């Protein structure tokens, strides 16, 4: 299949005209990757069963992992669900458009293939102007998982989508960097109090501010590794770079010393090592490490948003450099840090050393 790449700069006039053809592709059953404020999505008409099937094929995604339905207008919610939970309105007012996905009872309009036969549907209204304009023009709800091959780190740049999806989908819209960098928060509002099934761009603290009581079933990355998760997607190994990954948690000086020691040993064995640090801790590593390891900083711990924004790009960069083992520091789990730690834990397959 020939994949067309359309580059869009939203600061130019009439940029949305460039979406007309992609909207037609969606309407006629094709696949279009597009930027959202969280990560790039791989979209199909959510009401077209065959089109949705081809999403699973392109990603190599297990069919028991349901998709999020993206809308451009809150009015579209009522077609997708039979009963809107009482908490929905306050959440939509506070966080839509934006990185919050609401799990609600589904309507019969939503095909089984979208919800993996669950009796709920996940709905989100993205704030990215390209995502919003594309969905409006298509005139249909758009089912869209992250636009990576299943298991790989989610794409935050069109180049990442090209790596994974070239030749497998119809259109890739390049709209630059996806700002938030981690996916939306998935919140189950069919239960009281609501439960966070996946931490993401909207934080637990922000949700509690609006709703009072909200439960997070995430001891980051741990609770979702055992048992039967309510959000089917959380059970899979995820966000993984090709390298083996290990998290080291503890006092920053001790972490740097431990990582340095292990890096030296790996280097002796001829293993290519990557180290994921932060601006504040980068100086704690011996300068010799910088000559033989690939060291990347996630950004500043004082600006936790930057840690989220850079995470998936850094993981892919280690792969590009042929790194075989990645050692990473852990982050504070307050605010957006909860989503960052969740993704790090998943990428590391739960591999963590506590000093
Ligand atoms: O930010 C995002 O949410 C991105 C962008 C493209 O919007 N999308 C995304 O989709 O991350 P995906 O497919 O990679 O992750 C969707 C998550 C999965 O963990 C899935 O199991 C969960 O949402 N999910 C979808 N429908 C659900 C449902 N009815 N009940 C519980 N969990 C659901
Ligand atoms: Mg995904």
């Amino acid at each position: 299949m020939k994949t067309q790449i359309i580059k869009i700069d939203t600061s130019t006039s009439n940029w949305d005209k460039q979406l007309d053809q992609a909207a037609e592709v969606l309407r006629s059953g094709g696949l279009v990757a597009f930027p959202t404020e969280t990560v790039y999505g791989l979209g199909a008409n959510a009401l077209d069963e065959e089109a949705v099937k081809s999403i699973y094929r392109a990603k190599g995604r297990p069919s028991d992992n349901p998709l999020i339905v993206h809308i451009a207008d809150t009015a579209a919610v009522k077609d997708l669900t039979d009963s809107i939970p009482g908490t929905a309105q306050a959440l939509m007012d506070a966080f839509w458009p934006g990185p919050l996905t609401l799990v609600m009872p589904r309507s019969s309009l939503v095909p089984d293939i979208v919800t993996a036969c669950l009796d709920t549907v996940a709905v989100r209204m993205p704030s990215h102007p390209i995502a919003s304009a594309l969905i409006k023009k298509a005139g249909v709800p758009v089912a869209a998982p992250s636009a990576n091959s299943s298991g790989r780190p989610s794409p935050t740049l069109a180049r990442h989508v090209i790596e994974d999806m070239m030749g497998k989908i119809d259109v890739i819209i390049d709209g630059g960097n996806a700002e938030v960098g981690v996916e939306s928060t998935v919140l189950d509002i069919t239960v009281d109090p609501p439960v966070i099934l996946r931490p993401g761009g909207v934080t637990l603290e922000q949700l509690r501010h609006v709703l009072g009581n909200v439960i997070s079933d995430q001891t980051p990355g741990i609770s979702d590794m055992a048992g039967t998760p309510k959000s089917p997607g959380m059970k899979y190994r995820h966000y993984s770079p090709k390298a083996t990954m290990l998290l080291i948690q503890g006092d920053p000086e001790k972490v740097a010393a431990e990582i340095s020691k292990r890096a030296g040993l790996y280097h002796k064995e001829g293993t290519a090592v990557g180290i994921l640090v932060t601006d504040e801790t980068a100086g704690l590593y011996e300068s010799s490490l910088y000559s033989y390891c690939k060291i990347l900083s996630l950004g500043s711990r004082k600006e936790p948003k930057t840690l989220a924004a850079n995470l998936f790009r850094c993981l892919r960069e280690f792969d590009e450099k042929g790194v075989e083992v990645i050692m990473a520091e852990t982050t504070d789990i307050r605010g957006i840090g909860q989503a960052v730690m969740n993704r790090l834990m998943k990428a590391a397959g739960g591999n963590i050393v506590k000093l």
Side-chain angles (χ1 to χ4, degrees):
M1 178 185 296
K2 190 168 160 15
T3 303
Q4 190 191 355
I5 299 171
I6 303 173
K7 200 173 164 66
I8 297 187
D9 176 353
T10 55
S11 67
T12 57
S13 57
N14 293 329
W15 60 267
D16 62 313
K17 278 264 155 251
Q18 286 176 271
L19 291 172
D20 288 348
Q21 185 211 343
E24 181 52 39
V25 169
L26 281 178
R27 261 194 309 274
S28 54
L31 297 185
V32 177
F34 58 95
T36 83
E37 71 280 18
T38 56
V39 300
Y40 274 73
L42 175 56
N45 176 356
L47 306 180
D48 178 339
E49 213 178 305
E50 285 307 312
V52 175
K53 264 188 202 155
S54 61
I55 292 182
Y56 286 88
R57 270 199 302 275
K59 277 185 64 94
R61 181 178 177 107
S63 59
D64 64 350
N65 190 4
L67 306 177
I68 296 172
V69 179
H70 295 66
I71 57 176
D73 184 340
T74 50
V77 168
K78 65 177 186 321
D79 300 331
L80 303 171
T81 172
D82 286 333
S83 67
I84 302 181
T87 46
Q89 195 58 50
L91 290 165
M92 294 191 286
D93 289 346
F95 301 111
W96 279 10
L100 177 67
T101 294
L102 298 176
V103 173
M104 299 185 267
R106 69 186 271 198
S107 75
S108 55
L109 187 72
V110 184
D112 279 343
I113 179 94
V114 172
T115 66
C117 298
L118 296 175
D119 52 11
T120 54
V121 60
V123 186
R124 147 163 147 82
M125 180 170 161
S127 64
H128 195 292
I130 293 178
S132 177
L134 177 67
I135 300 163
K136 262 186 208 137
K137 274 180 196 273
V140 292
V142 174
S146 48
N148 50 288
S149 297
S150 199
R152 296 220 62 214
S154 297
T156 56
L157 290 166
R159 141 166 94 74
H160 303 154
V161 182
I162 292 169
E163 261 170 43
D164 286 11
M165 292 297 153
M166 203 62 186
K168 297 181 181 170
I169 64 177
D170 299 287
V171 178
I172 297 172
I173 297 171
D174 179 352
N177 186 37
E179 236 170 89
V180 178
V182 291
E183 301 86 345
S184 63
T185 302
V186 178
L187 184 69
D188 182 357
I189 56 172
T190 64
V191 288
D192 186 26
V195 176
I196 295 179
L197 301 177
R198 176 180 73 181
V202 171
T203 66
L204 175 65
E205 294 84 345
Q206 284 176 298
L207 291 170
R208 286 196 172 144
H209 190 73
V210 171
L211 290 185
N213 198 5
V214 175
I215 293 172
S216 168
D217 78 344
Q218 306 285 312
T219 303
I222 296 170
S223 68
D224 51 9
M225 303 243 161
T228 322
K230 265 199 90 179
S231 190
M234 299 312 279
K235 75 180 177 219
Y236 294 105
R237 182 171 152 92
H238 242 134
Y239 316 115
S240 309
K242 291 170 190 146
T244 303
M245 193 160 155
L246 173 66
L247 309 184
I248 314 269
Q249 188 170 51
D251 181 56
E253 280 82 15
K254 286 191 188 143
V255 167
E258 180 67 23
I259 291 179
S260 301
K261 187 185 84 189
R262 288 175 183 244
L265 294 174
Y266 279 124
H267 181 60
K268 268 198 197 127
E269 292 171 355
T271 302
V273 178
I275 306 178
L276 192 56
V277 303
T278 52
D279 293 353
E280 285 78 9
T281 55
L284 299 174
Y285 293 82
E286 293 161 24
S287 56
S288 62
L289 284 186
Y290 284 81
S291 62
Y292 61 79
C293 298
K294 173 79 185 163
I295 302 186
L296 295 175
S297 175
L298 272 186
S300 170
R301 288 176 183 269
K302 291 186 201 120
E303 302 275 348
K305 280 188 177 173
T306 65
L307 309 180
N310 292 322
L311 177 62
F312 289 136
R313 183 179 48 75
C314 285
L315 294 182
R316 280 186 184 250
E317 209 170 312
F318 284 125
D319 281 348
E320 285 158 23
K321 300 290 178 204
V323 162
E324 294 160 284
V325 172
I326 302 168
M327 287 180 284
E329 298 173 2
T330 60
T331 64
D332 186 349
I333 58 161
R334 279 170 300 182
I336 190 87
Q338 191 184 21
V340 174
M341 258 312 277
N342 170 273
R343 305 310 188 266
L344 282 171
M345 279 295 277
K346 295 243 142 199
N351 230 344
I352 185 167
V353 173
K354 296 184 181 174
L355 298 179

